[in-house]
Amino acid sequence: MEKRCAFRKFLDGLKRPFYLDGGMGTELQARGLAPGEIPELWNLTRPDDIRAVHAAYLAAGADVVYANTFGANPAKYHGDAPLEDVVKAAIRIAKEAVAAASTPERPRFVALDVGPTGRLLKPAGDFEFDAAYESFAEQVRIGAAAGADLVVVETMGDTYELKAAVLAAKENSDLPVVATVALGEDGTLLTGGDVECVAALLDGLKVDAMGLNCGLGPDKMLPYVKRLAAATDIPVVVKANAGLPVVVDGKTVFNVGPAEFAADVAQLVEAGARIVGGCCGTTPAHIAEVVRSQPPTAARRLPTGNPHLPTTISSGTRALNLSIDDTFVIGERINPTGKKRLKQALTEGDSAYVLREAVSQAEAGAQVLDVNTGVPGLNEAEVLTRTVESVQSVTDLPLQIDTSDPKALESAMRHYNGKPLVNSVNGKEESLAAVLPIVAKYGGVLVALLLDEGGIPPTADERIAIAKRILARGAEYGMKPSDFVFDALSLAVSADATSANVALETIRRVRNELGCRTIMGVSNISFGLPGRPQLNASFYTLAMGAGLTAGIINPLSVEMMTAYRAFRALTGRDRSCGEWIEFAPSLVNVAVGSGSVGLGSGSVGSTLSDPKPTLTDPKPTLTGPNSTLSDPKSPSPLFAAIKRGLKADAASAARAELDSGRAPVDVIDGGIVPALEEVGKGFEEKRVFLPQLLMAADAAGAAFDVIRSALARTGGGTAPKGPIIVATVKGDIHDIGKNIVRALLENYGFKVIDLGRDVPPERILEAARRENCRLVGLSALMTTTVGFMEETIKLLRKELPDCRTMVGGAVLTADYAEKIGADFYSKDAMGAVRTAEKVFG
Amino acid sequence: MKELSAYLRMGGCEPRGALAGRIEELKAEILKAMRPRRTWRRVSVADIPRPGSSLLRHLAGCRDAYLVCGTLGTGVDALQRRLSVTSGADALIVQALGAAYMESWMDEMEDAIRAELAPGESIILRYSPGYGDWPLAAQRDLLEMLDSSRTVGVSLTDNMLMVPSKSVSAVIGVRSQELESGVHSRRGG
């Protein structure tokens, strides 16, 4: 901590830019480093060359040299010499060079250079976040012990890996941490994040400086440096390439010379960069020119932080600025309170159900998703972390991590890719002491409930007083007012006639007096009253009018989304009413199919089942040219819609049949099942192709959903067949085959528990045992992972002799399946349905 | 999109009706999600890692070759994960579209390589690790020679899968007229 403070003080006291060195690789190549050769080995074999490069940059005026350790992390490095020797030698050489150049008036510094692992982290790849962390941690421990003065994490192309590296640097040393990323020509990271994503993440992690290196020339970096400087008050670093690489005679060269480079860098300094150097293609001459061409030192006033910082949350690929002048939707549905089916899914580890909730809320217009997994008896730290990870794998929306368990909060925040909203802290000392340090460490925007040991105050005055106290306590942890969002707390208006007014006044005063943002779970207001959706929507409109920044609502509720879209259109936030115009047709849809049940907050209302009606083909035909699916015997619209693969039509046809008085069971047996049967048979006879089969199954699924919610309302219903557990085996991360099988089985009426991909044998066994499961479906794509499939089958055989296994995947054949001991082999998804029909009779 | 029907396993039949409509909608989504990147390097045939006899036969008459790697980026996989949650059909269609766009991207890369060839030079069919007796393990060396994780964001999993999944690595031999002896006249530039 001391070293970090001293670094910031030193920087703030400096009346000129702080200078870094230039390219190392370029210099080594000039000295004979061959392509494919490991540069770090030169620390041992050619230390004089490395020392000479450092010395040249120091002579050019660099304050800092990067030790030759870019690729020296255990995940990437595979040289013959031990990693520890390579890193130690690198730091020693750099220290020797720095010692020779330093004077008491002008100290110079050695940075441990931490580059990427070269692996892609989950869910994009297979590398675990914790493994990446451990790899960086080892490098940092060696480098810090060897005497580095600071740690630079650089050339990162993925926010998640960046987070692992920064955490490793901070937790395994007391050194200042500088972090820079490489942008492509489109201004994004390799995994898609932009400058604001990076700024939100690194600002939250409280690095000592952040910025950009590599990827672009200095001129191209200008707009991104401006955006960074607007997004953070942490010092901004730039280490640009000497232009874009050009291949000349088979060699990569960079064409921007020292003078042009220095002129561009001067503009970057003007735009807010306080720490500058060079990357690929830059030489000591470039750095010397940068140093020489800066205007006379003391006269310059370097930019200090931005006083109007945004409140930004982020995922790995999307940053959301919670502007105080706008209002945002937080989807509330991933919260098991009062939701039996979600509780069950969390207990079973059924990721598919939770993920559907995530995707449907995103499609309905939520901009943030709340994730709460508090179910008594479950290990919340584990379940919340796993759920956050899997929800992040299917949506780019930032999440609101919602828990009252500090252990769960820490684990979930640590593994979250980005800067989340955190729900919540309150004014009680116990809560502040537990939550503030965690959020301050990992970075998050914190929801603060305006209550304390005395309960929920009945007046806005007292609530504002609590808010002020929370801000003061947060400041002790380095948290700024922009890091908080205050919950105005809505209480049942049936119990206290003033509650709505007090909440609204609190919203106004938090905004006007504290300049802070507000948030509210809207639906409490109507507790105990009839007509809840309509009451909630009206209150929501009032709250937005009072300045509510974020409403925690059910985005599938027509009433709530109508209130939201209408408010934004009517107050000029939805310019030219484009969003309203896009939204309005779904209202017509709802009127046609009214009477569906809203699942949120235990309230009855309309549901936006399909906000964007799709596929209005005038002559929809699903079938291939040589197919004859028209069936004069069954002209029912439901049958036809399923056959043609029309989701929305199938749902409304099912609704119409129910409305006309048909029993749900008859709709299933008389409409859905025959249609599926016909399409399935067509597929087996090769008259219908796989995508058509799947579209028909999707349409059947939409019809099933309608019937299920009708059955749930009447309390009756037939239990689905199953359960069937499906998983892609350990080591395998491509799971399209498994997902198709799951979709088809579900749409044929089976209950499926999807354990996801890369699932170890023990987890499959545990789930099969808990569910008393009679059929487990396993998928493997690669020959290299079939071994894990065999291991899983053996384990199930031994522990659960009555459980059957079916297998499938690109590399499997019937013979191979038999050899590894599987009971059934499915050559395609329809085969899996047939097997399931056999097993469950 | 000539290969789309094949990638959809429709045996050459053109998608029609609802399926054709959905394909158009998903095209828009995948185009938003993909960030194509590519890198290549010209090397001497002698520098190609672990060549087996079938690759050397393929490269007969070539002195140089291009090591290439192209990808559509992590966004396509993310889109596919999202669509898999709600629809098997959507997941399959995006998978097929991704494969077809990947093929086009590699074709574009070959065009770009042709543009930098010397007069009299042409390129032959590309050849990937795992074909013939060129071991899949050569992929690791090939990607390292291209520094692919840093330049285009392509890396390998422990089980030798390329990630992002819509990625291709290959070697493309260079023929030159002076070396051309009339044999092996496969598709060239």
Side-chain angles (χ1 to χ4, degrees):
Chain A
M1 208 59 210
E2 258 169 50
K3 283 186 188 164
R4 285 176 190 144
C5 288
F7 179 75
R8 279 298 284 271
K9 261 198 198 129
F10 175 82
L11 274 187
D12 288 342
L14 208 58
K15 294 209 167 47
R16 60 171 174 84
F18 191 54
Y19 298 115
L20 307 174
D21 62 6
M24 169 64 84
T26 331
E27 293 300 296
L28 297 187
Q29 277 155 26
R31 287 168 162 80
L33 183 79
E37 195 179 348
I38 299 174
E40 289 79 13
L41 284 176
W42 277 34
N43 297 331
L44 302 174
T45 58
R46 307 204 24 195
D48 293 341
D49 285 287
I50 305 289
R51 196 180 298 105
V53 175
H54 290 326
Y57 280 120
L58 291 163
D63 294 295
V64 178
V65 292
Y66 283 23
N68 184 30
T69 55
F70 178 80
N73 63 71
K76 183 179 175 80
Y77 174 80
H78 52 84
D80 292 331
L83 180 82
E84 183 165 5
D85 295 356
V86 168
V87 175
K88 275 182 170 167
I91 302 289
R92 194 192 65 238
I93 296 163
K95 281 175 80 82
E96 286 164 5
V98 156
S102 287
T103 62
E105 301 77 42
R106 178 92 198 269
R108 314 286 184 106
F109 306 94
V110 173
L112 174 74
D113 186 358
V114 176
T117 59
R119 299 285 306 267
L120 201 46
L121 268 66
K122 283 184 174 177
D126 70 331
F127 202 41
E128 294 282 355
F129 177 86
D130 290 339
Y133 170 88
E134 213 20 76
S135 179
F136 292 124
E138 185 171 344
Q139 186 184 8
V140 168
R141 283 191 291 264
I142 300 169
D149 300 307
L150 64 153
V151 179
V152 293
V153 171
E154 64 148 319
T155 324
M156 289 289 162
D158 172 26
T159 52
Y160 207 26
E161 184 176 14
L162 172 65
K163 179 169 182 173
V166 168
L167 277 177
K170 293 191 78 165
E171 292 180 349
N172 293 279
S173 80
D174 59 354
L175 302 176
V177 179
V178 174
T180 57
V181 299
L183 297 179
E185 283 174 68
D186 61 356
T188 66
L189 303 178
L190 286 169
T191 51
D194 61 11
V195 167
E196 283 73 22
C197 289
V198 172
L201 176 72
L202 292 177
D203 194 272
L205 289 169
K206 298 184 177 54
V207 294
D208 299 286
M210 70 166 85
L212 313 173
N213 78 288
C214 210
L216 303 170
D219 54 337
K220 294 274 182 348
M221 283 196 174
L222 187 59
Y224 306 117
V225 167
K226 285 182 179 161
R227 277 163 59 181
L228 256 190
T232 181
D233 59 357
I234 289 174
V236 171
V237 189
V238 193
K239 241 176 172 251
N241 289 346
L244 289 174
V246 190
V247 178
V248 176
D249 294 335
K251 278 196 179 139
T252 304
V253 295
F254 294 85
N255 281 331
V256 175
E260 192 187 337
F261 186 82
D264 288 338
V265 169
Q267 291 211 0
L268 297 176
V269 172
E270 196 65 41
R274 293 171 64 185
I275 305 177
V276 294
C279 201
C280 302
T282 60
T283 63
H286 288 80
I287 300 303
E289 192 57 26
V290 167
V291 173
R292 199 194 60 76
S293 65
Q294 284 298 317
T297 52
R300 274 188 64 76
R301 221 187 104 65
L302 286 162
T304 54
N306 174 355
H308 306 289
L309 283 180
T311 292
T312 306
I313 54 175
S314 68
S315 66
T317 50
R318 185 191 285 228
L320 180 67
N321 175 2
L322 294 172
S323 162
I324 200 162
D325 296 320
D326 207 341
T327 184
F328 301 87
V329 171
I330 300 178
E332 68 179 7
R333 294 181 55 83
I334 306 179
N335 184 333
T337 313
K339 294 200 189 85
K340 209 176 117 208
R341 182 64 189 88
L342 180 58
K343 248 181 225 168
Q344 190 190 350
L346 290 170
T347 310
E348 291 167 354
D350 176 4
S351 58
Y353 181 83
V354 179
L355 299 186
R356 263 198 291 270
E357 289 286 356
V359 171
S360 63
Q361 291 183 91
E363 283 174 358
Q367 291 138 310
V368 182
L369 300 179
D370 184 84
V371 177
N372 180 315
T373 63
V375 176
L378 288 189
N379 178 345
E380 194 178 341
E382 198 188 304
V383 176
L384 181 64
T385 305
R386 196 160 72 206
T387 306
V388 162
E389 286 172 346
S390 59
V391 170
Q392 284 210 290
S393 77
V394 299
T395 176
D396 62 354
L397 296 185
L399 304 185
Q400 169 166 278
I401 298 174
D402 184 358
T403 175
S404 54
D405 175 354
K407 253 178 65 189
L409 176 63
E410 165 136 33
S411 170
M413 282 193 83
R414 187 178 184 86
H415 294 90
Y416 178 80
N417 183 1
K419 183 182 188 185
L421 261 175
V422 175
N423 193 358
S424 60
V425 74
N426 61 53
K428 291 179 189 168
E429 187 45 42
E430 188 191 354
S431 167
L432 290 164
V435 175
L436 289 175
I438 299 171
V439 178
K441 176 179 176 185
Y442 293 102
V445 172
L446 183 53
V447 174
L449 309 185
L450 298 178
L451 58 87
D452 63 7
E453 283 84 355
I456 300 176
T459 68
D461 275 343
E462 292 162 283
R463 294 185 189 181
I464 296 294
I466 294 174
K468 286 181 176 162
R469 217 172 54 234
I470 292 173
L471 284 176
R473 288 285 278 121
E476 293 168 24
Y477 292 90
M479 291 180 66
K480 298 164 275 201
S482 57
D483 292 329
F484 288 91
V485 176
F486 291 100
D487 189 330
L489 295 175
S490 70
L491 299 173
V493 73
S494 56
D496 175 1
T498 67
S499 75
N501 284 333
V502 172
L504 296 172
E505 187 189 344
T506 306
I507 290 170
R508 272 190 290 269
R509 291 182 58 186
V510 166
R511 182 190 153 97
N512 297 339
E513 294 173 25
L514 306 179
C516 286
R517 288 143 183 88
T518 51
I519 192 170
M520 191 162 65
V522 178
S523 57
N524 288 341
I525 200 77
S526 63
F527 191 78
L529 292 173
R532 291 192 66 183
Q534 291 73 18
L535 203 53
N536 290 342
S538 294
F539 181 54
Y540 185 32
T541 300
L542 290 174
M544 289 186 284
L548 181 70
T549 317
I552 306 177
I553 66 165
N554 175 9
L556 302 189
S557 151
V558 181
E559 289 81 1
M560 296 306 267
M561 286 313 278
T562 304
Y564 174 76
R565 299 283 181 211
F567 177 82
R568 292 195 77 255
L570 294 171
T571 56
R573 290 170 169 87
D574 172 9
R575 287 187 186 279
S576 68
C577 300
E579 291 168 27
W580 176 262
I581 291 167
E582 199 180 326
F583 171 74
S586 64
L587 295 173
V588 179
N589 239 23
V590 166
V592 169
S594 63
S596 56
V597 178
L599 302 171
S601 322
S603 52
V604 177
S606 324
T607 308
L608 283 181
S609 53
D610 198 349
K612 280 180 228 137
T614 49
L615 300 177
T616 44
D617 190 318
K619 294 179 296 186
T621 63
L622 172 70
T623 53
N626 50 353
S627 128
T628 51
L629 271 187
S630 57
D631 186 345
K633 282 180 305 199
S634 306
S636 94
L638 176 59
F639 185 94
I642 292 174
K643 257 184 13 184
R644 290 171 179 164
L646 299 170
K647 243 179 174 174
D649 288 9
S652 52
R655 224 174 270 132
E657 294 211 11
L658 292 176
D659 289 348
S660 76
R662 281 189 83 179
V665 167
D666 291 341
V667 179
I668 296 174
D669 291 343
I672 301 178
V673 171
L676 277 176
E677 200 42 52
E678 168 136 347
V679 178
K681 225 169 79 205
F683 177 74
E684 284 160 338
E685 291 166 4
K686 301 197 176 9
R687 286 183 289 114
V688 170
F689 296 112
L690 183 61
Q692 299 163 326
L693 170 70
L694 294 173
M695 286 190 81
D698 285 349
F704 264 128
D705 282 346
V706 169
I707 290 163
R708 264 185 222 121
S709 55
L711 287 172
R713 222 172 353 175
T714 57
T718 50
K721 297 168 279 183
I724 301 167
I725 288 174
V726 297
T728 301
V729 298
K730 189 174 164 186
D732 233 320
I733 59 165
H734 291 167
D735 56 356
I736 180 166
K738 182 265 295 169
N739 291 334
I740 287 173
V741 167
R742 183 200 72 222
L744 206 61
L745 284 170
E746 281 178 342
N747 292 334
Y748 271 77
F750 291 94
K751 181 186 172 191
V752 182
I753 297 171
D754 184 353
L755 299 180
R757 57 194 187 138
D758 193 9
V759 188
E762 304 73 38
R763 247 191 81 205
I764 296 172
L765 171 67
E766 183 197 316
R769 178 174 284 149
R770 190 184 52 232
E771 297 305 319
N772 203 7
C773 178
R774 283 163 55 202
L775 182 62
V776 171
L778 301 172
S779 153
L781 185 76
M782 302 285 287
T783 38
T784 45
T785 55
V786 174
F788 289 115
M789 183 179 262
E790 187 171 6
E791 198 182 304
T792 307
I793 293 171
K794 281 210 176 105
L795 187 68
L796 287 170
R797 269 271 148 87
K798 181 163 155 262
E799 301 287 328
L800 302 173
D802 292 336
C803 178
R804 297 280 159 264
T805 51
M806 69 175 163
V807 298
V811 295
L812 285 164
T813 59
D815 287 350
Y816 204 3
E818 197 184 330
K819 212 177 98 197
I820 62 173
D823 296 298
F824 305 101
Y825 162 71
S826 308
K827 76 174 187 347
D828 54 36
M830 200 60 217
V833 171
R834 297 298 184 217
T835 299
E837 283 169 345
K838 216 180 318 173
V839 170
F840 293 97
Chain B
M1 285 289 127
K2 56 184 189 300
E3 304 92 346
L4 186 63
S5 164
Y7 289 123
L8 284 169
R9 301 180 216 181
M10 293 186 60
C13 291
E14 278 299 303
R16 290 163 50 193
L19 176 59
R22 191 63 188 143
I23 288 172
E24 286 308 311
E25 290 173 343
L26 290 174
K27 257 186 204 170
E29 292 229 28
I30 196 172
L31 285 171
K32 261 190 290 171
M34 69 190 202
R35 287 174 198 283
R37 287 183 164 88
R38 65 192 182 197
T39 185
W40 66 71
R41 206 173 114 194
R42 186 168 172 150
V43 298
S44 153
V45 163
D47 290 335
I48 294 172
R50 311 177 199 210
S53 57
S54 60
L55 174 59
L56 290 176
R57 228 175 10 253
H58 176 75
L59 292 173
C62 299
R63 190 168 28 191
D64 284 359
Y66 281 87
L67 306 181
V68 303
C69 180
T71 180
L72 299 184
T74 50
V76 176
D77 288 337
L79 174 65
Q80 199 169 319
R81 282 196 301 273
R82 170 163 73 76
L83 294 171
S84 294
V85 171
T86 46
S87 163
D90 285 358
L92 179 74
I93 294 168
V94 162
Q95 161 85 2
L97 283 170
Y101 279 120
M102 189 64 232
E103 198 55 35
S104 313
W105 182 231
M106 294 305 289
D107 288 348
E108 268 182 55
M109 170 145 56
E110 290 185 7
D111 289 343
I113 287 174
R114 281 189 196 99
E116 70 164 46
L117 293 175
E121 286 184 337
S122 60
I123 53 175
I124 62 171
L125 278 182
R126 61 171 196 266
Y127 200 99
S128 290
Y131 289 2
D133 61 358
W134 198 23
L136 206 54
Q139 187 136 277
R140 198 170 288 283
D141 305 299
L142 193 159
L143 293 181
E144 244 164 53
M145 288 174 77
L146 289 169
D147 201 4
S148 66
S149 70
R150 201 174 61 77
T151 50
V152 290
V154 173
S155 57
L156 287 179
T157 70
D158 283 336
N159 291 302
M160 302 295 281
L161 278 169
M162 254 197 291
V163 279
S165 69
K166 293 291 171 282
S167 302
V168 169
S169 70
V171 59
I172 303 175
V174 179
R175 287 272 174 76
S176 62
Q177 265 166 6
E178 46 187 297
L179 287 174
E180 191 76 48
S181 58
V183 288
H184 286 106
S185 55
R186 304 175 81 156
R187 189 180 89 179

